[in-house]
Amino acid sequence: MYDRVYNFAAGPSTLPEEVLQRAGSEIMNYQGTGMSVMEMSHRSPAFQKIFDHTKQQFIKLMHVPDTHEVLFLQGGASTQFSAVPLNFISAAGKADYALTGNFSTIAAKEAKKYGEIHIAYDGKEEGFHHIPRQEELVLSKDASYFHYCANNTIFGTEWNYVPEVSVPLVCDMSSDITSRPVDISKYALIYAGAQKNMAPAGVTVVIIRKDMAGHELPITPLMMNYETLIKKDSMYNTPPCWQIYMLGLVMDWLETKGGVEGMAKIKHQKAMLLYDALENTKVFHLHADPDSRSDMNVTFRTDSAELDAKFVAGAADAGMVNLKGHRLTGGIRASIYNAMPVEGVEKLRDYIIRFDKENR
Ligand SMILES: *Cc1c(COP(=O)(O)O)cnc(C)c1O
């Protein structure tokens, strides 16, 4: 009927087959409305029901407490690079950023437009293969907030602890949200573009502690004003309706898999299938330090760009696609988000072992 590949893309990335089938079955006529969700007014009762369901499921599965609000926004995680300082930096006029990869570096650069940015850690010189330990963070006591990126999608490193800071904590969780339980109460704000681990591209989830809203700089664009967005329940303007619907289907799917607790159990096992195999090869080197390795993005390479390319091409021939590393790093990257079945990871592991033997 169809030929699906194992898609190891970093984002947009693979979605659960059950979700795609369900969306397909409803695409012409959503539950007797005679139209697709793509064609519906965002003010219609049918869509309001979809919106409420998605929000409730997300709150339930992520254990979002009453102190926090969940927003479904547009503009990607990158828009939050600007929205966070615009809304939060007024408290002290300065903020701390930990730079552990590409996106946290861009976020800090963007924030500099609106206040004084202090770099609490910078892994650039050593090539972003390491997540700082708590004692390596140089923190300011009077910052408006501390910003970090939980999982570095390009370099394949991931924080395995929540940094302890005395100021509001802000985190970009774009590429590992819903892969593990999070104590939301520790955070002033979490944001995540959905296209890595949750939904098609086009919706960004923001979880904000309600008392953090309402302190924006006067120049804050209307569409980035958290207070307004909370007041309008994400519908100041037209929200990304289809993506919100898809996010709801993915949350329903996640629930059948034991929620984020269920994912936490299998994601590390999935990742270890690859890390263990790679450690026992001769031709491959892992990028990340053992204590900093990501369970979502496994980054590795051989000693030659030609051999990397041969690996990627051979994988594609065998139905495993998008394994080429990011253009910033080269090498190879396997993104193994929630929706990547363990069978796909096992198939990749077997290919890694075979390739190593044949190319020593
Ligand atoms: C992909 C990604 C981004 C950028 O997301 P957009 O939605 O494309 O703006 C930011 N942060 C992280 C960690 C990412 O993985």
Side-chain angles (χ1 to χ4, degrees), residues 75-78 81 103 149 151 153 172 174-175 193 195-196:
S78 302
F81 297 166
F103 293 113
C149 176
N151 183 72
T153 321
D172 176 356
S174 292
S175 51
Q195 71 272 23
K196 312 290 164 56

Side-chain angles (χ1 to χ4, degrees), residues 10-12 75-81 102-104 106-107 147 149-154 172-176 191-196 201-204 297 333 337:
S78 302
T79 295
Q80 298 307 311
F81 297 166
N102 177 60
F103 293 113
S104 47
I106 299 174
H147 177 284
C149 176
N151 183 72
N152 299 285
T153 321
I154 294 174
D172 176 356
M173 285 191 195
S174 292
S175 51
D176 68 353
Y191 62 94
Q195 71 272 23
K196 312 290 164 56
V203 62
T204 307
N297 312 96
R333 170 176 56 176
Y337 300 119

Side-chain angles (χ1 to χ4, degrees), residues 14 43 58 62 64 71 76 103 114 158 161-162 172 199 231-232 248 257 267 276 284 288 306 326 331 348 350:
T14 194
R43 309 281 181 205
F58 185 86
M62 284 293 291
V64 180
L71 300 171
F103 293 113
Y114 308 110
E158 187 172 15
Y161 71 99
V162 179
D172 176 356
K231 233 180 243 162
K232 298 291 182 181
K257 302 285 170 192
K267 61 131 190 174
D276 281 345
F284 296 110
E306 288 71 41
H326 192 272
L348 178 59
D350 295 345

